[in-house]
Each structure stands twice: as C-alpha cells, then as structure tokens.
Amino acid sequence: MVIFNSDAALERAFSQIGGALEKSYRTALQLCFRAIGTTPQNTSTLYIKEDSAPQWSDPVATLPIDDARELLNEKICILLEDSSNDWNFLQGIMMESEREKLLNAVSKGWAAPVHGGGSGLITQLEARLACPKEGLRTFAIYDSDRLHPDELQEGWDAKCLSGAKATCQAYYWEKVTKDKMPLRYWMLKRRFIESYMPEDQLKDYCSSNFGRGLSDEVVQIFFTELSDHQRWYYNMKEGLSGDARRVDAERNRSLYSDLGEDIREALNSGFGRSLATHYAKHQDVVFRWDDSAIEEALNALPNLMRLI
C-alpha cells in the first residue's frame, strides 16, 4: 500500500508520469482508496513524504519519492533453501487464491523465488538486509532443523542438555530474521519440508525408484506408531540411525525411547535424501495436508502475501 502525505506530493508523482499512463494510474489510485478500508493493519505500507529523511521500516516505511520509486521497482525476493523443492512445497501448502496471486506476481516479474543454497542462505539474506530497499522486499522460508519440540521454545540456547553445542544453523538464522525482519520470514515448526509429507504421498514416493521400493508397511508404521512430535522431528532422510551418528545425537532426548525394536528397525534408515523432490515432481497434485500443517500455513503465509 502506498500513501502520499499531501496532495502536492501526489500531483508531483503524477507529473512525472504524464500522458495516457497518468490516467491509468489515477484510476488505479481511486480503486486503492476504496480498498483501504478492508486492508489488514500489517499490510506493507509506504508513506511518500517530500523533503524527509528516508525511514526504512516495516510494516510502514516513510520515504521521499525517489527512494519510494526505487523500492517499488525492487522485485520481491522469496528466499528459499532450495528454489525447486521448497518452492513447490510452498505453492502446494498455499490456499488456491494465494497461489494464483503469487504466481501472477512471479509471471509479471514482481516477485521471484531465489535459491539460498542451504548454508549459503544466511549470506544472501545478510547481503540483502544490508541494502534497505532489498531487505524490505525479502521474505525468507527455511527448515527449523530442530530435533525435539522443546528446541522451539523461546529460551533454547542451541545447546544440548549436557551443555554441548548443538549443530543447528536455523537457530542462528532465526536470530537474524527475528531481529531484522520479524514480519518477513517463516521458519517451519517441523524439522524439514519433508516432515509435512501426507501419508498417501509418502506411500507414492516409497513405491518409486527414488523411494528405494520401501513398503507401505513402513509408512503405516510411521503414521500409526509414532506420535505427532515423533513424526515431526524424525530424520526423514536418514532415519534413527542418521541421528545416532550426529555429534549432537543427545538432542532428541528421550523422544523415541518408547519405541519397540521392530518399530526402530523399520524406521532405522529413513526414506532417503530424495524425498523432498517429490514436491517438485508432483506440482499438479493437490496434497491432503494434515490439520496442523494447514493451521501453520494459515498463520505464516499472510506475512508473505501482504508483500505481493
């Protein structure tokens, strides 16, 4: 949303456009006036104020017209760990109306998914935050990398119960995003994007070559024998054995201590490192997300859509 602090500022903006395009802009502005009454309070808002020092803040920025023009010309960057798998996960978990609006913005060059490259995401993020116009037009999405639900609590300090340091890059990413762009990021509550895979889609993946021909029985065990927290923080890629090999293996605490040997054996190796590609390979499939996943997306995605 763009607001001019005076009629003079508005007329100055129009005078720099001129011609038939000026008429189109005036019409569009009238439509915007009608929509303001229904605009959410946290919508990204830009005040255009002449002869003032730029204030690059969110959700309300106050800028001279030249800075405002540069900001509005800046493409919205949706920064992802993986611009293929994560991008398709994001599209899939959105409401249809959100997806249509987002893809329309991408097709018109107003927004774009950007590949962060895993550990390289923070480097790109900090570079964009160092440039105010880029920072305000950035939304980051990343895995939580948590191994236990308690690690999502406010006071967790990225340490194991023994005091040893935990290996969790998302902990440090969240410190940056929470401080610098609190309305422009979504750190998943679950461990990975794979942790949201619906049961029928996990079965479909397991029956494929990528899924190494794992049986439906393994998937059934995963969904019937594990609690929600056990599923959400399970190592979907490398299984229980993968976490056992970690230097900070103690982080999962006693989360899986109640599992019988037959269940542990079935879930020992995980579902493979290609699981996330299932989102990209099934772009046209309507996934049947669980209620908790839907609720999380409903809470997180308005912060992205307010930028579009």
Side-chain angles (χ1 to χ4, degrees), residues 12-294:
R12 179 178 169 229
F14 281 137
S15 69
Q16 296 182 20
I17 300 172
L21 191 58
E22 178 182 345
K23 183 178 180 180
S24 297
Y25 271 71
R26 288 185 182 276
T27 300
L29 190 63
Q30 289 299 321
L31 294 174
C32 289
F33 286 154
R34 297 176 189 174
I36 284 176
T38 59
T39 300
Q41 290 185 348
N42 73 336
T43 296
S44 292
T45 303
L46 171 58
Y47 281 96
I48 297 178
K49 188 173 182 180
E50 293 183 294
D51 303 321
S52 67
Q55 298 177 28
W56 304 89
S57 52
D58 186 19
V60 180
T62 301
L63 303 174
I65 191 166
D66 290 338
D67 288 326
R69 186 185 297 110
E70 287 192 20
L71 175 64
L72 294 175
N73 283 332
E74 183 68 35
K75 185 180 296 188
I76 297 167
C77 163
I78 304 167
L79 189 58
L80 308 153
E81 292 186 71
D82 185 296
S83 59
S84 176
N85 300 332
D86 292 19
W87 177 238
N88 283 284
F89 164 76
L90 173 62
Q91 291 180 62
I93 205 166
M94 284 179 153
M95 293 188 296
E96 184 177 359
S97 59
E98 293 174 329
R99 182 165 54 252
E100 289 178 354
K101 185 176 180 181
L102 176 62
L103 293 180
N104 179 60
V106 171
S107 69
K108 292 183 176 179
W110 302 339
V114 175
H115 185 76
S119 59
L121 181 142
I122 191 63
T123 302
Q124 292 195 50
L125 182 60
E126 289 178 332
R128 293 190 64 84
L129 288 172
C131 177
K133 67 177 182 180
E134 292 182 6
L136 281 180
R137 302 290 272 177
T138 301
F139 190 91
I141 303 175
Y142 51 91
D143 298 336
S144 74
D145 296 330
R146 301 313 203 254
L147 273 62
H148 190 280
D150 287 356
E151 294 184 348
L152 288 173
Q153 293 181 1
E154 187 72 26
W156 188 58
D157 57 0
K159 291 183 179 178
C160 306
L161 290 179
S162 67
K165 184 177 180 181
T167 304
C168 182
Q169 61 185 4
Y171 168 81
Y172 300 99
W173 296 356
E174 187 186 20
K175 289 175 71 70
V176 173
T177 51
K178 197 171 186 178
D179 179 51
K180 303 292 186 181
M181 44 190 289
L183 296 175
R184 287 178 281 114
Y185 79 99
W186 177 16
M187 184 184 76
L188 303 181
K189 291 184 177 180
R190 304 183 191 182
R191 184 168 176 176
F192 313 120
I193 60 169
E194 295 94 324
S195 307
Y196 295 80
M197 190 72 69
E199 182 175 357
D200 61 331
Q201 293 302 318
L202 188 55
K203 287 181 178 179
D204 184 59
Y205 166 80
C206 286
S207 66
S208 70
N209 290 333
F210 288 102
R212 303 174 300 179
L214 290 170
S215 68
D216 285 357
E217 183 181 1
V218 175
V219 179
Q220 185 175 2
I221 289 173
F222 179 73
F223 279 96
T224 60
E225 299 296 333
L226 300 190
S227 67
D228 286 346
H229 283 159
Q230 287 173 330
R231 288 197 310 275
W232 296 347
Y233 302 99
Y234 171 73
N235 189 334
M236 298 291 287
K237 303 170 186 178
E238 299 178 332
L240 298 174
S241 63
D243 278 353
R245 294 191 297 269
R246 295 177 61 104
V247 296
D248 57 356
E250 63 178 294
R251 282 175 55 196
N252 63 29
R253 307 182 189 185
S254 59
L255 190 57
Y256 302 102
S257 62
D258 64 337
L259 300 184
E261 285 303 315
D262 55 338
I263 297 174
R264 298 186 71 88
E265 182 178 354
L267 300 176
N268 192 53
S269 300
F271 298 101
R273 301 191 66 83
S274 298
L275 179 55
T277 65
H278 191 78
Y279 293 119
K281 295 177 186 296
H282 294 76
Q283 300 175 30
D284 300 326
V285 175
V286 178
F287 282 39
R288 294 185 292 183
W289 309 102
D290 63 72
D291 291 344
S292 178
I294 293 172

